Amino acid sequence: MSPGNIVVALSEGDFISFARRWATIAKALVAIKSDRAYPLTLPNVARNVIAHEIGHAIGLGHNGDPAMLMCGRPAPCRPPAFTSATERYFPLTSDEKALLLTLYPADWRGR
């Protein structure tokens, strides 16, 4: 992704947050529902939903591990699983980290 190629839209709406990536043109949209609507009102959830959707925007898919950031459909992982009394980001798997290093190596330069 080049600078400015990910648009993050923060909404007052009540919908399922999502990301849409167009790899062929290196563009992505991340749309985040209102932080005043459940489940983003739960402690620690909003930060992880946003990070999860940005993960999709940069090329990550879902996994089935509820302890990891990119857990999602078809696995039974849902945003309330990010609830935590301690502010923290859920981690990426080692495979996801390796994929990101493949997609964006140290010498990577945007288009």
Side-chain angles (χ1 to χ4, degrees):
M1 295 280 163
S2 298
N5 284 354
I6 298 176
V7 173
V8 178
L10 304 175
S11 174
E12 291 293 322
D14 186 9
F15 57 89
I16 296 173
S17 298
F18 67 91
R20 174 68 170 104
R21 183 173 189 241
W22 295 272
T24 56
I25 59 171
K27 303 268 185 204
L29 168 67
V30 174
I32 305 296
K33 72 186 276 173
S34 174
D35 65 349
R36 294 181 192 102
Y38 179 85
L40 272 63
T41 55
L42 296 171
N44 199 57
V45 171
R47 70 175 48 234
N48 282 283
V49 167
I50 293 167
H52 175 98
E53 298 305 340
I54 290 173
H56 288 310
I58 62 173
L60 298 176
H62 284 146
N63 67 51
D65 187 340
M68 297 294 160
L69 180 67
M70 296 308 297
C71 188
R73 290 180 174 94
C77 309
R78 299 297 180 265
F82 291 137
T83 302
S84 173
T86 304
E87 291 183 356
R88 67 185 184 96
Y89 287 100
F90 278 64
L92 296 174
T93 66
S94 56
D95 287 346
E96 291 162 344
K97 291 176 186 177
L99 174 59
L100 289 177
L101 289 172
T102 300
L103 294 172
Y104 307 101
D107 62 347
W108 178 80
R109 300 288 179 255
R111 294 181 197 184

